[in-house]
Amino acid sequence: AQKITQTQPGMFVQEKEAVTLDCTYDTSDPSYGLFWYKQPSSGEMIFLIYQGSYDQQNATEGRYSLNFQKARKSANLVISASQLGDSAMYFCAMSPRGTGNQFYFGTGTSLTVIP
Amino acid sequence: DTAVSQTPKYLVTQMGNDKSIKCEQNLGHDTMYWYKQDSKKFLKIMFSYNNKELIINETVPNRFSPKSPDKAHLNLHINSLELGDSAVYFCASSQGARHSNQPQHFGDGTRLSIL
């Protein structure tokens, strides 16, 4: 069975500080992709960052980086230098190769950036 | 030049009615999806089409029927609407069903409210 777990329903961070949003996953498929999406209060889903299961290096995209620990089956999102506009829901998703690029989403973490 | 567009953005209707949501993507992607996001923000796959062929059909009541006239369009028709159908419905597309490394690109969602 495929499973994605986000254990932090809500997080707060001071503006300009870094924050880590946790994500653990479970799959028996050796090949999979891990994704993070941002959903602001306006409702759209914005793709942030991707990590492949065979990638040797952690993915980075601007202020976003993915702390990928394969043995622990974790794919935490790190946001550096938080901005007020980072306040949103953040979803972790997994796509096992054998599932037709089907995404399994976590329950999300609501991040609030405090000025 | 919206990549994935869905209409309508809001849909308010009475229980028992039949309604449709339309989705179009101009990204040249082969695969399209429908997701349901419930009141707790949980996102769950409903259907996926690859080149007009149904490839994912999760446990969804048969009142929901997807239709893909071509690979750029995936519409969702819902018969005999029930209170529990109230949710946000997202359309998404991706490069191909055989790849686990392709992000899905989401439309802005359709907020369906059943009175």
Side-chain angles (χ1 to χ4, degrees):
Chain A
Q2 326 288 351
K3 192 175 178 183
I4 287 270
T5 303
Q6 294 180 254
T7 56
Q8 307 153 314
M11 290 279 286
F12 291 86
V13 64
Q14 204 76 36
E15 196 178 3
K16 299 179 186 173
E17 297 290 312
V19 63
T20 299
L21 306 184
D22 294 342
C23 174
T24 58
Y25 60 91
D26 192 16
T27 180
S28 56
D29 200 317
S31 179
Y32 49 88
L34 295 158
F35 303 81
W36 277 92
Y37 282 81
K38 172 184 178 181
Q39 187 177 39
S41 58
S42 48
E44 69 270 31
M45 293 286 288
I46 303 166
F47 165 65
L48 296 178
I49 196 167
Y50 159 79
Q51 178 84 43
S53 59
Y54 292 116
D55 292 345
Q56 295 295 313
Q57 293 196 323
N58 286 342
T60 60
E61 287 285 349
R63 293 185 300 110
Y64 304 109
S65 61
L66 207 151
N67 183 359
F68 180 45
Q69 297 188 47
K70 194 169 182 177
R72 293 187 178 183
K73 294 191 173 179
S74 74
N76 299 338
L77 177 70
V78 180
I79 306 174
S80 62
S82 296
Q83 301 172 355
L84 295 178
D86 294 334
S87 293
M89 281 288 287
Y90 288 82
F91 292 95
C92 180
M94 174 179 64
S95 172
R97 184 177 171 84
T99 63
N101 200 24
Q102 178 172 345
F103 273 28
Y104 296 86
F105 280 91
T107 49
T109 295
S110 176
L111 178 67
T112 303
V113 180
I114 304 165
Chain B
D1 57 341
T2 307
V4 182
S5 60
Q6 22 180 142
T7 54
K9 191 170 175 66
Y10 299 96
L11 190 49
V12 181
T13 189
Q14 301 271 4
M15 212 164 48
N17 283 351
D18 303 338
K19 289 293 177 188
S20 292
I21 307 172
K22 294 186 175 182
C23 180
E24 176 182 3
Q25 54 95 4
N26 63 5
L27 296 166
H29 287 165
D30 292 331
T31 311
M32 295 184 73
Y33 311 81
W34 277 110
Y35 287 87
K36 179 180 181 180
Q37 186 174 42
D38 63 23
S39 58
K40 294 183 179 177
K41 299 288 190 180
F42 185 62
L43 271 157
K44 192 167 190 308
I45 184 78
M46 299 173 70
F47 302 103
S48 172
Y49 271 73
N50 185 58
N51 272 324
K52 301 192 298 175
E53 181 184 345
L54 181 66
I55 57 169
I56 295 172
N57 184 355
E58 290 295 298
T59 308
V60 175
N62 58 15
R63 299 182 293 104
F64 290 78
S65 53
K67 280 206 170 73
S68 182
D70 55 61
K71 73 174 193 177
H73 295 84
L74 180 61
N75 304 323
L76 183 65
H77 187 77
I78 316 169
N79 288 328
S80 303
L81 281 156
E82 299 178 356
L83 289 175
D85 298 333
S86 294
V88 181
Y89 292 84
F90 283 98
C91 177
S93 72
S94 71
Q95 193 80 9
R98 296 185 184 278
H99 308 284
S100 63
N101 62 350
Q102 299 299 319
Q104 293 184 11
H105 298 261
F106 284 76
D108 288 344
T110 295
R111 184 175 295 276
L112 174 62
S113 300
I114 310 300
L115 303 177

